Amino acid sequence: MLKPSYLEKVPESLVDMYSQAEEDIIVDMARRISTYDYFIPSAEHQFRRMQEMGSSYDDIVSRLAQTTKQSKKEVERLIKEAGAETLKTDQKLYKKAGLEPKPLKAAVHLQQTLRQGINRTNSTFANLTRTTARIGNKQFTDALDRAYMQISTGAFDPETAIKKAVKDLSSEGLTAVNYASGRHVSLEGAVRSTITTGVNQNALAVQEAYMDDMGCDLVETTAHGGSRPEHALWQGKVFSRSGTHSKYSPLRQATGYGTGAGLGGWNCRHSMFPFFEGISEKAHNSEDLRDYESKAYSYNGKKMTEYEAVSKQRYIERQVRRWKREYAAMDAR
């Protein structure tokens, strides 16, 4: 299994990588906006705008393509490490039940599962590059058009209009499409969700292949504080993969496993591990699960659940990146 704390840390290296690319792109946009000639006639502006759009798009694609090329090795490393990590605990449970699972390296079909997961996740990142370039280019041209309109109509002086355009652009950051949900989100959010989901789903696929080999039907789901309300209903419980056990509920029906909103779905940090009745001991009791939802954290005098605390931490991290982007962009004017 993968512990929720493990999955919490998985995206950080890629988030840093793409955040730097985002900052570089925003800085380039700021330079273009600052050096543009806002005193040309409207017809010439339309022509120059098209030129800027093409040049900007090429530069965005080039910068993101470099990052995606670098990220391929990191994606492979993360997925392989997660595949090995998820089987550490599982193999101990199998051996405790008197079973002898093959090492990961000796199982050809599991190696194929890993490779498929790596290819699938890298493909999602490649799609992310294309859509981010398209949407980011529109963000740039929209900012350029607003500045041109404000200056040409006399609504703002050039210094104020340019400063506002750069500030707004850097504050918003690049927008991407989250392919899991189809929503427009921040580039950081899309990267975080893509790698967390890819790593977890691939680890679960490896686990299921092992469970099939070992004839394991029962599984226990992991649990963590701050779980989504709908996930809190089934975390830390035992389920039947086949759905035929008289004592335990069907895994897929109860947890939504295999769907985007369920266990192992979009940005989900829940995993599962083998459970052998009469041999295994449950990892979480009712008291543990209640404690996970308690307001055990404090921030500025306010009590928070772990979910609220993590959300606040993420917000602060996003604000730090935003100010860093804005400082770099304003400095590049």
Side-chain angles (χ1 to χ4, degrees):
M1 67 172 171
L2 292 180
K3 294 181 179 180
S5 57
Y6 183 98
L7 287 165
E8 178 72 23
K9 296 174 183 176
V10 157
E12 298 310 319
S13 59
L14 285 170
V15 166
D16 288 344
M17 196 180 294
Y18 277 89
S19 291
Q20 184 58 59
E22 179 181 31
E23 182 180 314
D24 292 345
I25 291 167
I26 295 291
V27 164
D28 180 68
M29 289 178 177
R31 291 196 189 101
R32 291 175 184 275
I33 290 171
S34 300
T35 57
Y36 190 77
D37 185 355
Y38 294 96
F39 297 98
I40 55 178
S42 178
E44 188 176 347
H45 164 65
Q46 293 301 319
F47 176 72
R48 286 277 304 279
R49 177 182 179 276
M50 293 298 292
Q51 289 181 315
E52 289 287 348
M53 182 185 296
S55 180
S56 172
Y57 180 80
D58 289 343
D59 286 347
I60 296 172
V61 169
S62 176
R63 184 64 183 87
L64 287 176
Q66 290 174 25
T67 305
T68 303
K69 185 177 180 180
Q70 294 170 355
S71 74
K72 283 184 177 181
K73 290 183 179 179
E74 184 65 2
V75 167
E76 182 168 357
R77 182 185 72 80
L78 290 171
I79 287 181
K80 285 184 175 179
E81 283 187 1
E85 178 67 24
T86 197
L87 296 179
K88 278 185 182 179
T89 304
D90 290 13
Q91 287 178 334
K92 291 178 182 177
L93 296 173
Y94 288 130
K95 289 178 180 178
K96 188 176 180 181
L99 301 170
E100 288 294 332
K102 287 182 179 179
L104 180 59
K105 290 182 179 180
V108 175
H109 63 303
L110 296 184
Q111 292 296 322
Q112 291 174 339
T113 298
L114 282 175
R115 177 49 55 186
Q116 288 170 357
I118 291 166
N119 292 341
R120 185 168 54 249
T121 305
N122 276 328
S123 176
T124 302
F125 272 105
N127 288 335
L128 191 66
T129 296
R130 288 191 288 272
T131 59
T132 302
R134 175 174 53 79
I135 298 171
N137 201 39
K138 186 176 187 306
Q139 290 175 269
F140 163 68
T141 52
D142 285 349
L144 194 65
D145 281 343
R146 281 195 301 272
Y148 178 81
M149 183 63 66
Q150 290 168 351
I151 294 169
S152 62
T153 60
F156 292 96
D157 63 87
E159 175 66 18
T160 302
I162 291 169
K163 183 177 180 180
K164 187 177 187 308
V166 171
K167 188 180 177 73
D168 289 348
L169 196 58
S170 58
S171 177
E172 182 181 6
L174 295 180
T175 301
V177 172
N178 184 321
Y179 276 85
S181 64
R183 295 184 298 111
H184 283 206
V185 297
S186 67
L187 179 59
E188 176 190 340
V191 169
R192 189 177 293 280
S193 179
T194 296
I195 191 60
T196 300
T197 305
V199 165
N200 197 19
Q201 288 184 347
N202 196 63
L204 287 164
V206 170
Q207 281 185 295
E208 283 230 88
Y210 249 105
M211 290 172 185
D212 290 342
D213 291 347
M214 297 294 102
C216 174
D217 180 47
L218 300 180
V219 295
E220 182 178 347
T221 56
T222 58
H224 62 85
S227 174
R228 302 172 207 172
E230 58 272 25
H231 288 199
L233 297 172
W234 47 256
Q235 69 172 354
K237 296 181 180 179
V238 177
F239 299 97
S240 166
R241 293 171 60 226
S242 67
T244 60
H245 202 286
S246 59
K247 184 177 176 181
Y248 299 104
S249 301
L251 175 69
R252 294 180 185 276
Q253 181 180 328
T255 69
Y257 180 55
T259 68
L263 168 64
W266 306 318
N267 216 25
C268 177
R269 291 188 289 121
H270 285 103
S271 183
M272 61 184 178
F273 50 95
F275 185 88
F276 296 95
E277 200 168 24
I279 300 173
S280 300
E281 295 181 7
K282 283 189 87 275
H284 305 92
N285 57 39
S286 299
E287 186 176 346
D288 291 335
L289 297 176
R290 283 195 299 271
D291 287 345
Y292 282 142
E293 303 311 312
S294 66
K295 291 183 178 290
Y297 298 83
S298 179
Y299 179 77
N300 286 345
K302 180 182 178 183
K303 290 292 185 179
M304 298 179 172
T305 63
E306 185 174 334
Y307 179 81
E308 292 168 335
V310 170
S311 296
K312 187 65 178 179
Q313 180 184 342
R314 288 280 173 260
Y315 170 77
I316 293 171
E317 289 171 353
R318 287 195 300 272
Q319 291 303 102
V320 170
R321 289 191 176 94
R322 171 197 163 187
W323 290 118
K324 186 171 179 287
R325 265 196 324 265
E326 188 171 320
Y327 176 83
M330 297 300 282
D331 191 53
R333 290 186 304 126

